[in-house]
Amino acid sequence: MSEQSTALRETVRRRYAAAAVQVAAGGRACFCGPCGVEAGEGFGSPLYAVAERAELPAEAVAASLGCGTPTAVADLHEGEHVLDLGSGGGIDVLLSARRVGPAGRVYGLDMTEDMLALALANQRKAGATNVVFLKGTIEAVPLPARTVDVVISNCVINLSTDKRAVFAEAFRVLAPGGRIGVSDVVAEDGLTPAQRAERGDHVGCIAGALSRTEYRRGLAAAGFTDIEITSTHRVADRMHAALIRATKPVVPAGETASETAAEAASDTAGEAASDTASDAVCCGVTDCCGPGERATGPDTATAAREAAN
């Protein structure tokens, strides 16, 4: 990763860490400007239905910084496994958990310790037992291949400095036939990167946005098919929030049906053998849970063992 990319990622991390701290202190998340400024028009919790917001902890709603509602576009079903890229305070994870039910599972991935701590607190308040929060980046997802049925994300992919890696990772972790349903900011074709930067900064979800054609080409290059990009509302001049759908083919290009079946069987066997270990890694953000323990914060598993001893 270049120094510029590393610096941009750190800027994003600091901004969203500050947002999490502000919400935990009883405020609302800061966005698109200095902390203390609430989400601008076209962003945040007002995009969710009143009934959806009423189902969730107030802190999950206050930390919402997205540009849409990916849980609606993803059309989730009972028993499905879902991954939320850049899960923040957990609003989309918790809504997804209700839709997939006890037989399903929802993974929330975030790189920011403060957001993860807030999300875990919101999980406890919501009583969601089918949710797992993971620390990591959306360019290197800490899950095995073919783990989930659906990948969602809410105005986070535009923040990445390596979107090719994000699309490749989404494709990798999806099972054959799986789908992606995300909300993101998309620029109109013909708007140059410099012109996008004139309309807003990178951390404000504007400068790093792809154009419609760039988004479509990026998903196609990763192997996705049935790509749909539907604008929903304007967030800046010639820039729009959009709902993006795409599918991972049952038989990816370049593979035969028998090769796909063999790989799937191998993945299933490997996942079954490491199921306990995977659950342990996922239980705590920075530590593993032992028997009878559960994560209630980034270091809860360790704290619980020390208390027991």
Side-chain angles (χ1 to χ4, degrees):
M1 182 182 293
S2 69
E3 289 185 10
Q4 182 181 15
S5 296
T6 300
L8 276 174
R9 176 182 286 180
E10 178 58 19
T11 299
V12 170
R13 188 200 65 76
R14 287 199 306 268
R15 175 67 66 86
Y16 288 88
V21 170
Q22 187 161 341
V23 169
R28 293 191 64 84
C30 58
F31 192 78
C32 296
C35 285
V37 178
E38 293 186 10
E41 183 179 355
F43 294 90
S45 60
L47 298 173
Y48 293 84
V50 173
E52 288 183 315
R53 284 180 270 162
E55 295 177 354
L56 302 174
E59 292 82 359
V61 176
S64 173
L65 299 171
C67 57
T69 53
T71 50
V73 68
D75 188 27
L76 303 179
H77 303 291
E78 186 84 16
E80 289 188 316
H81 285 204
V82 181
L83 168 65
D84 182 11
L85 299 176
S87 50
I91 186 169
D92 293 310
V93 169
L94 297 177
L95 288 172
S96 298
R98 290 176 177 269
R99 286 164 172 75
V100 302
R105 175 173 288 191
V106 184
Y107 299 95
L109 174 65
D110 206 281
M111 68 175 181
T112 308
E113 290 277 1
D114 294 288
M115 273 296 183
L116 287 165
L118 179 62
L120 286 165
N122 288 331
Q123 178 189 357
R124 291 196 304 274
K125 292 174 182 176
T129 59
N130 58 342
V131 165
V132 175
F133 286 104
L134 304 169
K135 183 181 180 184
T137 68
I138 62 176
E139 298 87 0
V141 179
L143 285 175
R146 305 168 188 251
T147 300
V148 300
D149 304 295
V150 188
V151 171
I152 64 173
S153 185
N154 197 349
C155 210
V156 172
I157 294 175
N158 68 80
L159 295 171
S160 173
T161 58
D162 189 355
K163 297 174 181 64
R164 180 182 299 182
V166 176
F167 295 146
E169 281 293 87
F171 191 88
R172 180 185 67 82
V173 300
L174 279 170
R179 60 198 185 278
I180 185 170
V182 307
S183 299
D184 211 357
V185 173
V186 177
E188 292 181 10
D189 289 335
L191 202 63
T192 67
Q195 290 171 326
R196 298 169 212 175
E198 291 172 355
R199 288 156 170 77
D201 63 5
H202 186 95
V203 75
C205 302
I206 301 297
L210 296 174
S211 70
R212 291 177 64 88
T213 295
E214 289 167 344
Y215 222 115
R216 184 177 296 276
R217 287 175 177 170
L219 287 169
F224 286 100
T225 59
D226 304 321
I227 301 166
E228 299 177 8
I229 301 175
T230 306
S231 297
T232 57
H233 58 276
R234 176 184 177 277
V235 296
D237 179 34
R238 299 181 63 193
M239 302 190 71
H240 308 271
L243 299 176
I244 297 101
R245 300 177 177 88
T247 303
K248 178 175 180 175
V250 174
V251 181
E255 291 187 15
T256 66
S258 59
E259 288 172 335
T260 300
E263 289 177 5
S266 176
D267 286 344
T268 301
E271 289 166 15
S274 62
D275 185 61
T276 300
S278 296
D279 284 346
V281 171
C282 295
C283 182
V285 176
T286 60
D287 197 19
C288 298
C289 289
E293 295 178 349
R294 65 186 183 90
T296 56
D299 300 304
T300 297
T302 299
R305 277 196 291 274
E306 291 174 348
N309 292 331

